[in-house]
């Protein structure tokens, strides 16, 4: 892996794509003592300029200038979903590590090209799956990993959110098949990753998609999936941007020894071996918003935690907590869901 030199030096970051999520990255980087935000770049120069002023850093006018910059070691790819690959490939070729927003890309071909390019260049690529770092989610994962819920048999996600018509109209790429990819790709991606992280590899999916409110977008605004895992567990995954008011996402895991149910960042139930854990509920429940009602309704602390882990991994030569393969696994499930919705039949994984 590409060496991160002196351990006392700050690691330099540059952000490509200066829209909504770029501010979350910038705030997170600024809050990490071992990180330094060097600059921004966007095909819209005004946007890069605005962010540079906001965060007291440099506006770069082209990618080359960032790739050639010696102090920049990590590139944060914050362009729309289907526009990540060319930037990741160039970054890898220039020897830069990459933090790529989710979904890392929208086809497996592009995903694999990015993985191969990063491996060849000896750089790390981390997909931004920051929900894994939420305290309640991390504790849930620990419980599952240590077998505290026993044999897992149900894993559900209900993501009944609201996005306005203006959300879909504001940026041309939203709601498009070729660049956004649909609600599973754009919004449910985090929770698909969580289900797989908690319950293991997926055996097959059976999906139905629909356009329930936003009739002038190309993709679905709602999707309904039955998801079966290799370990025998089964679950339901619902995602929508049509529901008013948007409801915090619910993640519910059931095993033969108990149930853990989260809503947003709050633990609603932590019931294991006949006992409800009120202390965990109290200590790990946060009232923070989780994007149910609007695209910017969430906090950048989870981004910060993911970036801190990435820095620690680079410094200590260990794999990061979230790997490129995790991003590929979630992407494969999303693509299987879309294939199933298209053919009206269950689709088994792996898909080709
Ligand atoms: N992790 C999360 O929770 C989270 C939240 C929101 C968005 N995202 C992801 O972040 C990415 C960006 O989303 P957003 O909401 O910020 O989008 P956005 O439309 O607000 O911003 C994207 C920016 O990229 C710029 N851009 C497009 N092509 C470019 C190129 N080739 N080079 C440089 N700049 C380019 C656009 O001009 C725009 O300013 C998407 O992949 C999205 O799914 C992740």
């Amino acid at each position: 892996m590409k060496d991160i030199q002196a351990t006392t030096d700050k690691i330099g970051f540059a952000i490509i794509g200066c829209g909504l999520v770029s501010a979350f990255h910038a705030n997170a980087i600024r809050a990490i003592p071992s990180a330094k935000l060097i600059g921004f770049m966007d095909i819209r120069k005004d946007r890069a300029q605005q962010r540079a002023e906001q965060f007291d850093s440099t506006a770069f006018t082209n990618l080359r200038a960032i790739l050639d910059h010696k102090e920049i070691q990590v590139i944060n790819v914050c362009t729309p979903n289907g526009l990540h690959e060319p930037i990741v490939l160039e970054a890898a070729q220039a020897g830069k590590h990459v933090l790529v927003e989710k979904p890392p890309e929208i086809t497996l071909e592009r995903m694999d090209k990015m993985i191969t390019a990063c491996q060849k260049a000896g750089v790390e690529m981390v997909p931004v799956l920051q929900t894994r770092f939420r305290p309640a989610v991390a504790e849930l994962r620990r419980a599952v990993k240590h077998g505290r819920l026993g044999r897992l048999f149900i894993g559900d996600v209900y993501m009944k959110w609201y996005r306005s018509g203006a959300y879909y109209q504001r940026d041309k790429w939203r709601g498009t098949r070729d660049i956004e990819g649909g609600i599973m790709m754009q919004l449910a991606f985090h929770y698909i990753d969580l289900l797989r992280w908690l319950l293991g590899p997926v055996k097959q999916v059976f999906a139905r998609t629909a356009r329930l409110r936003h009739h002038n977008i190309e993709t679905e605004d709602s999707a309904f999936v039955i998801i079966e895992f290799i370990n025998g567990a089964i679950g339901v995954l619902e995602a929508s941007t049509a529901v008013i008011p948007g409801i915090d996402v619910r993640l519910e895991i059931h095993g033969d020894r108990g149930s853990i149910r989260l809503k947003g960042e709050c633990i609603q139930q932590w019931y294991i071996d006949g006992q409800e854990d009120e202390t965990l509920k109290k200590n790990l429940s946060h009232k923070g918003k989780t994007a149910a009602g609007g695209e910017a309704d969430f906090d950048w602390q989870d981004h910060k935690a993911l970036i801190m882990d990435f820095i620690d991994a680079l410094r200590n030569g260990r794999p990061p907590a979230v790997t490129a393969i995790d991003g590929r696994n979630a992407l494969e499930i999303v693509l299987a869901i879309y294939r199933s919705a298209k053919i009206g039949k269950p689709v088994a994984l792996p898909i080709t």
Side-chain angles (χ1 to χ4, degrees):
M1 188 192 305
K2 197 95 189 154
D3 270 359
I4 288 291
Q5 296 284 316
T7 48
T8 49
D9 284 351
K10 290 185 180 223
I11 295 195
F13 287 78
I15 298 175
I16 316 283
C18 300
L20 176 108
V21 88
S22 63
F24 291 74
H25 284 245
N27 276 312
I29 293 164
R30 258 205 332 196
I32 301 172
S34 53
K36 183 175 175 191
L37 178 56
I38 294 183
F40 293 90
M41 183 261 160
D42 196 295
I43 42 168
R44 284 191 44 184
K45 293 188 173 121
D46 58 318
R47 289 195 172 181
Q49 193 61 44
Q50 197 217 338
R51 284 281 185 249
E53 279 166 23
Q54 186 184 353
F55 290 96
D56 196 17
S57 65
T58 304
F60 292 91
T61 49
N62 60 74
L63 183 58
R64 192 72 252 161
I66 287 183
L67 299 177
D68 289 342
H69 198 296
K70 296 274 178 291
E71 269 189 81
I72 296 170
Q73 286 138 315
V74 180
I75 291 184
N76 300 43
V77 181
C78 298
T79 53
N81 304 344
L83 302 175
H84 292 167
E85 183 212 333
I87 300 169
V88 172
L89 296 187
E90 287 210 59
Q93 218 171 29
K96 309 289 185 192
H97 301 284
V98 183
L99 259 175
V100 60
E101 262 299 348
K102 62 83 219 156
E105 252 298 347
I106 61 173
T107 71
L108 286 177
E109 293 75 18
R110 292 185 208 164
M111 185 75 218
D112 289 339
K113 265 170 86 177
M114 299 192 314
I115 292 174
T116 305
C118 289
Q119 279 171 349
K120 263 195 189 155
V123 297
E124 200 64 74
M125 169 169 57
V126 167
V128 181
L129 295 169
Q130 81 277 6
T131 49
R132 289 188 181 200
F133 292 85
R134 285 184 188 156
V137 171
E139 193 62 32
L140 165 56
R141 157 80 180 180
R142 261 191 293 279
V144 161
K145 211 175 155 197
H146 292 125
R148 298 202 52 220
L149 283 177
R151 183 176 60 83
L152 300 178
F153 43 63
I154 299 178
D156 303 315
V157 163
Y158 305 99
M159 201 199 87
K160 296 180 186 173
W161 283 3
Y162 177 65
R163 291 291 181 270
S164 65
Y167 162 84
Y168 281 110
Q169 278 154 25
R170 198 185 53 232
D171 306 298
K172 275 195 188 148
W173 65 277
R174 297 193 196 275
T176 60
R177 187 60 67 201
D178 287 353
I179 307 282
E180 187 207 78
I183 189 169
M184 287 288 156
M185 201 67 96
Q186 170 63 6
L187 296 175
F189 202 87
H190 286 298
Y191 299 98
I192 290 166
D193 169 60
L194 290 188
L195 279 179
R196 194 195 183 281
W197 193 41
L198 294 164
L199 292 141
V202 169
K203 185 175 162 202
Q204 78 170 19
V205 293
F206 189 21
R208 166 94 157 80
T209 58
R211 212 174 287 127
L212 299 179
R213 176 185 290 276
H214 301 291
H215 296 291
N216 52 3
I217 63 171
E218 230 171 72
T219 63
E220 77 291 344
D221 65 14
S222 305
F224 309 86
V225 186
I226 296 171
I227 181 162
E228 287 175 58
F229 298 85
I230 285 184
N231 68 0
I234 191 159
V236 169
L237 167 63
E238 282 186 24
S240 180
T241 54
V243 175
I244 285 187
I247 303 165
D248 265 342
V249 65
R250 281 157 47 205
L251 169 64
E252 306 186 343
I253 308 294
H254 308 273
D256 60 7
R257 288 175 58 188
S259 295
I260 298 176
R261 296 189 296 114
L262 310 185
K263 185 175 179 198
E265 299 203 40
C266 292
I267 298 172
Q268 297 219 298
Q269 180 160 56
W270 194 285
Y271 180 93
I272 296 177
D273 294 336
Q275 280 205 317
E276 196 71 51
D277 191 329
E278 298 299 340
T279 313
L280 263 189
K281 260 185 188 166
K282 190 164 150 259
N283 292 345
L284 290 184
S285 291
H286 295 279
K287 293 270 178 280
K289 289 187 173 174
T290 47
E295 63 275 21
D297 273 357
F298 64 104
D299 195 79
W300 46 265
Q301 293 298 336
D302 300 333
H303 274 81
K304 181 182 166 198
L306 176 130
I307 295 172
M308 282 172 67
D309 174 80
F310 192 17
I311 291 174
D312 187 67
L314 291 175
R315 287 238 158 105
N316 293 303
R318 65 158 172 88
V322 184
T323 66
I325 296 301
D326 293 325
R328 190 191 191 280
N329 287 337
L331 176 63
E332 186 183 32
I333 297 168
V334 170
L335 293 170
I337 287 170
Y338 284 135
R339 189 178 293 178
S340 167
K342 192 170 174 191
I343 65 175
K345 292 182 184 158
V347 166
L349 278 80
I351 57 168
T352 47

